[in-house]
Amino acid sequence: MKKGIVLMAALLSALAFSACGQQTASQSVKAETETAATEEKKESKEITVSEEAESEKADTKKDEAGGEEKAEKKETLKGKLSDKKDFMITIDTADGKSYALSFDEKEAPAGLDKVKVGDEVEVSYSGTLSEVDSFTGKVYSVSAVKK
């Protein structure tokens, strides 16, 4: 009788442990499936973004080929050069606002090497300026304002 109870308890224990192990395996399979699905979504987003970029490039090329040019509106910003780095400049305007203008290190704006921090400058740019958001556009030139 005691042997029967011990044997029955051993079988129930083995059954219980094997059932838990199967849940872990199914949970790991589910996690792997979710990870794969997430990666597929990321890849599809990346493809969509690159397709949109290519589409925009194609639109620009069509405009150029058709003789129509998208004129970028160049604007100027005057102020004091408060910071100068390889990839951005910061301009403090007379009304107390501060604007950070970023650019590609390889395509530094014309005249940047001729100005220094503290100079009154005039910046030629296109794009959107914001005190809070990052600069989106292109900086064409930086020149010292003669006093």
Side-chain angles (χ1 to χ4, degrees):
M1 177 91 168
K2 288 182 182 180
K3 288 182 183 180
I5 292 174
V6 171
L7 185 60
M8 183 86 87
L11 287 172
L12 287 174
S13 297
L15 183 63
F17 289 128
S18 66
C20 291
Q22 288 175 351
Q23 285 179 351
T24 303
S26 66
Q27 288 174 350
S28 66
V29 169
K30 183 178 177 183
E32 289 173 7
T33 305
E34 289 175 359
T35 303
T38 304
E39 289 176 6
E40 287 177 17
K41 286 180 184 178
K42 286 181 183 177
E43 288 176 9
S44 68
K45 285 181 183 179
E46 289 173 1
I47 291 170
T48 303
V49 170
S50 65
E51 287 174 353
E52 289 174 2
E54 288 176 15
S55 174
E56 288 176 6
K57 287 179 184 176
D59 291 344
T60 304
K61 288 178 183 175
K62 287 177 188 175
D63 290 343
E64 291 172 358
E68 298 176 28
E69 292 184 15
K70 290 184 179 178
E72 292 181 341
K73 184 178 178 185
K74 287 187 180 179
E75 299 182 44
T76 58
L77 175 67
K78 292 182 181 181
K80 183 178 179 179
L81 183 64
S82 63
D83 192 17
K84 177 181 169 184
K85 296 183 180 175
D86 290 338
F87 60 92
M88 72 175 265
I89 55 174
T90 304
I91 308 295
D92 294 334
T93 60
D95 59 355
K97 294 182 179 178
S98 182
Y99 297 102
L101 303 162
S102 58
F103 47 85
D104 187 13
E105 291 179 46
K106 296 174 184 171
E107 296 179 19
L112 182 63
D113 56 339
K114 297 176 183 170
V115 295
K116 61 182 185 279
V117 174
D119 287 351
E120 289 293 324
V121 296
E122 182 174 284
V123 179
S124 175
Y125 71 95
S126 65
T128 305
L129 281 182
S130 173
E131 287 183 276
V132 181
D133 297 326
S134 61
F135 173 67
T136 56
K138 180 172 178 152
V139 180
Y140 295 103
S141 65
V142 180
S143 58
V145 175
K146 295 178 182 176
K147 295 179 183 178

